[in-house]
Amino acid sequence: MRSGEIESRPVALADRAVARILAETAAEENLYPEVLAAIGETLDWDLGLIWEVPVEGGALTCVEVWCSPAAGEGAAAFAATSLHTVLERSQGLPGHVWETGEASWIVDFASHGEFPRAERASATGMRSAMCSPVRSAGGILGAIEFFSSRTREPDAELLEAMASLGSQIGQVVERRRAESRAREAGERHEAIVNAALDCIITIDQNGCVLEFNPAAERTFGYAADEAVGRDMSELIVPPALRERHREGFARCVRDGTGALLDSRIEITGMRQDGSEFPVELTITKIDVPGAPRFTGFVRDITERVTAEAELRASRTRIVEAGDDARRRIERDLHDGAQQRLVNVSLGLRLAHGQLGESPSETGVLLEDAMRELTRATAELRELARGIHPAVLSDGGLEPAIAGLVSGSQMKVRIEEVTKKRFAPSVESAAYFVVAEALTNVTRYAEASEASVAVRCEGERMLVEVRDDGRGGADPDSGSGLRGLADRLAALEGELTVESPAGEGTTVRASIPCA
């Protein structure tokens, strides 16, 4: 056998040993010690060290050491002091390899006093050293370094073999780092999903559940293993909405667009027991290779919807209570103070009649008192009508609005007024919209004509008052329209004002009336 073959045999053995370790060693903590031992024992080195550059960057750190049992106490001491040593780029033999990216060899530490560990290495019996980079496709990950108590000359073949081993080690380290990052990311993802208060449900392109977090289990009543693999629409979508859901989801899969994607919508969900409840839903397409996947974020909004409904009901009750109070005051004024004034007026007329035809000072005083009493009665009647018109309670919107129009100081055309009767709060709101709008037209619009329309469309009453005045009205400048807007909001209605300068004003109200 030729001498070159004999010399290359340890290198080949080391290469095979390292390849086997990289393939078979599962435990991360055993990888470096076994690699160092295999190379050191096969190639007859006394001490081995592995250095790493942290993933987040920084200095080169010694993370693992190996010492031959036959190396003696000096080598063991040097190994112990080297572990966790930190070197900057170009500092020491590993730092030099890190800087240059090339393997390096020191024949005798005595001639390298500029290296920070040279004196300590010589003092513990170390003479020669070899260092090679550990690299991957992404760059240098660290260095692998070996020491010998014998003086050893540079070996080109060995350096070439170490460069190859460094690449093998680097590829494995990079892969394991990637696996570790993926594992940590997966663990973080799982922890976040499990801790989320909202339901997180992931589905594939067929709508089958892939992930069902604990919040979804609590909300919908299914265990995760019961939900995974099943059609989501069959699981949590009420029967009446399933076809519509499937059509929308198919559009998301086919076109990548749709009202469901990346927007918050309020729909109805269904629990395992069949009970339905309001939910807020957001669906997002997950950016992953292969077939599309989607994650839905679902929030049970039963409490919020209940609270909003109670708030609306409370506001409606307040409006209705105010209207009831106005009606009572109007009736009290009509049946009480107004009737008393009428009786007084009649008494004065009888007294005046008994004075005869001859004028007297008493007669003049009685006539003045009757005129003042007539005016006071008219003002009281107008006040009562402003608080709440009796005709509205008795006859509804048609005669009440006709009374407003007939009392207007300008020309008002009635286009349409519904004859149907509605809840008192709805009728009051519509009446006062017309009353306030006509008052504003008379006071500010400088209009020649106005029109009024009150009609029903579906489940809403629409009120519209137009004029041909100067426009430019500001709905926020006075308290009248703002008060009407608040009244309508309490009934879930809306008030809008369109008033372009020079083009008249249109006041519109939309009031739920079903």
Side-chain angles (χ1 to χ4, degrees):
M1 187 177 290
R2 293 190 300 272
S3 60
E5 292 176 345
I6 295 173
E7 291 173 356
S8 66
R9 186 179 300 163
V11 173
L13 291 174
D15 186 72
R16 286 196 297 272
V18 170
R20 185 180 67 254
I21 291 168
L22 295 177
E24 297 178 356
T25 303
E28 190 77 28
E29 63 274 13
N30 295 334
L31 180 65
Y32 283 164
E34 291 183 13
V35 166
L36 289 173
I39 297 174
E41 292 172 356
T42 306
L43 300 178
D44 194 23
W45 292 93
D46 296 309
L47 179 65
L49 301 88
I50 286 187
W51 302 76
E52 273 193 356
V53 180
V55 176
E56 64 276 8
L60 198 63
T61 303
C62 180
V63 296
E64 191 61 64
V65 298
W66 163 84
C67 187
S68 170
E73 295 182 1
F78 185 64
T81 56
S82 295
L83 188 61
H84 305 309
T85 297
V86 176
L87 297 175
E88 299 295 334
R89 189 182 292 271
S90 77
Q91 188 179 21
L93 183 59
H96 174 72
V97 170
W98 183 19
E99 175 72 22
T100 63
E102 301 292 336
S104 187
W105 194 295
I106 293 178
V107 176
D108 188 354
F109 272 107
S111 61
H112 288 272
E114 75 278 8
F115 282 4
R117 297 176 300 146
E119 183 177 346
R120 190 165 69 240
S122 297
T124 55
M126 297 297 105
R127 291 291 177 265
S128 298
M130 170 190 65
C131 189
S132 181
V134 174
R135 68 172 75 241
S136 71
I140 294 178
L141 305 180
I144 184 167
E145 184 181 33
F146 287 93
F147 291 84
S148 175
S149 59
R150 296 179 293 108
T151 301
R152 299 181 63 162
E153 295 296 329
D155 185 333
E157 182 185 8
L158 180 55
L159 286 175
E160 183 179 348
M162 287 301 299
S164 175
L165 290 173
S167 293
Q168 292 179 50
I169 296 169
Q171 290 170 15
V172 171
V173 169
E174 182 65 26
R175 185 179 73 246
R176 293 197 176 191
R177 283 184 177 181
E179 291 171 352
S180 177
R181 289 194 295 269
R183 185 168 56 253
E184 290 174 0
E187 291 171 353
R188 285 196 301 272
H189 169 78
E190 183 177 3
I192 292 170
V193 168
N194 289 342
L197 298 178
D198 288 347
C199 307
I200 300 178
I201 304 171
T202 300
I203 58 177
D204 62 16
Q205 76 276 15
N206 298 317
C208 293
V209 176
L210 301 174
E211 186 177 48
F212 205 76
N213 77 330
E217 292 180 314
R218 293 190 298 271
T219 299
F220 291 98
Y222 296 96
D225 56 1
E226 294 178 295
V228 171
R230 294 180 60 180
D231 183 348
M232 187 193 73
S233 61
E234 296 288 339
L235 205 66
I236 65 173
V237 178
L241 302 177
R242 284 176 190 164
E243 189 60 33
R244 183 174 157 197
H245 164 80
R246 289 188 177 116
E247 291 175 359
F249 181 68
R251 189 161 50 252
C252 292
V253 174
R254 183 182 64 249
D255 304 331
T257 60
L260 289 176
L261 280 181
D262 301 319
S263 60
R264 295 182 186 274
I265 58 174
E266 293 187 8
I267 61 172
T268 302
M270 183 181 71
R271 298 186 180 90
Q272 185 182 34
D273 61 8
S275 60
E276 299 182 5
F277 63 107
V279 299
E280 183 181 78
L281 169 67
T282 302
I283 296 181
T284 300
K285 185 178 180 181
I286 306 173
D287 187 14
V288 294
R293 295 183 179 183
F294 302 85
T295 291
F297 301 89
V298 184
R299 177 176 299 175
D300 182 351
I301 56 173
T302 301
E303 291 186 2
R304 190 184 81 191
V305 170
T306 301
E308 290 174 351
E310 177 56 34
L311 177 61
R312 289 192 296 270
S314 174
R315 294 168 70 179
T316 301
R317 288 194 296 271
I318 292 172
V319 171
E320 290 175 346
D323 289 339
D324 288 343
R326 289 188 182 93
R327 281 192 292 272
R328 286 195 300 272
I329 293 171
E330 188 274 333
R331 287 299 180 187
D332 290 343
L333 290 175
H334 180 274
D335 298 337
Q338 191 173 328
Q339 290 301 320
R340 292 177 185 274
L341 289 176
V342 170
N343 291 335
V344 171
S345 177
L346 291 174
L348 290 174
R349 289 186 182 280
L350 288 173
H352 185 269
Q354 292 177 1
L355 289 176
E357 296 182 359
S358 58
S360 67
E361 184 176 350
T362 301
V364 172
L365 291 175
L366 285 173
E367 288 179 356
D368 290 342
M370 286 188 292
R371 282 194 295 271
E372 288 299 321
L373 191 56
T374 300
R375 283 195 290 269
T377 302
E379 290 176 1
L380 187 59
R381 187 179 296 111
E382 188 67 25
L383 174 62
R385 186 163 55 245
I387 293 173
H388 190 89
V391 66
L392 180 62
S393 299
D394 297 336
L397 284 168
E398 186 181 34
I401 290 178
L404 282 175
V405 169
S406 65
S408 177
Q409 299 178 15
M410 61 174 298
K411 182 181 178 181
V412 179
R413 182 178 70 258
I414 296 179
E415 295 183 348
E416 176 186 359
V417 176
T418 179
K419 297 180 179 181
K420 292 176 62 177
R421 295 304 305 267
F422 301 92
S425 57
V426 174
E427 291 184 342
S428 294
Y431 174 85
F432 285 113
V433 167
V434 175
E436 180 67 24
L438 290 179
T439 298
N440 289 341
V441 171
T442 302
R443 290 179 179 176
Y444 311 117
E446 299 177 7
S448 61
E449 186 180 27
S451 65
V452 174
V454 182
R455 60 184 178 276
C456 289
E457 291 187 3
E459 297 182 347
R460 301 187 79 84
M461 176 185 292
L462 303 181
V463 180
E464 184 176 274
V465 180
R466 294 176 177 267
D467 69 65
D468 60 358
R470 57 189 178 90
D474 182 3
D476 296 324
S477 62
S479 60
L481 289 178
R482 285 203 302 271
L484 287 177
D486 291 342
R487 172 191 279 266
L488 293 175
L491 301 175
E492 296 188 63
E494 297 177 351
L495 181 74
T496 59
V497 178
E498 296 177 6
S499 187
E503 298 182 24
T505 299
T506 301
V507 177
R508 292 189 181 92
S510 173
I511 312 168
C513 60

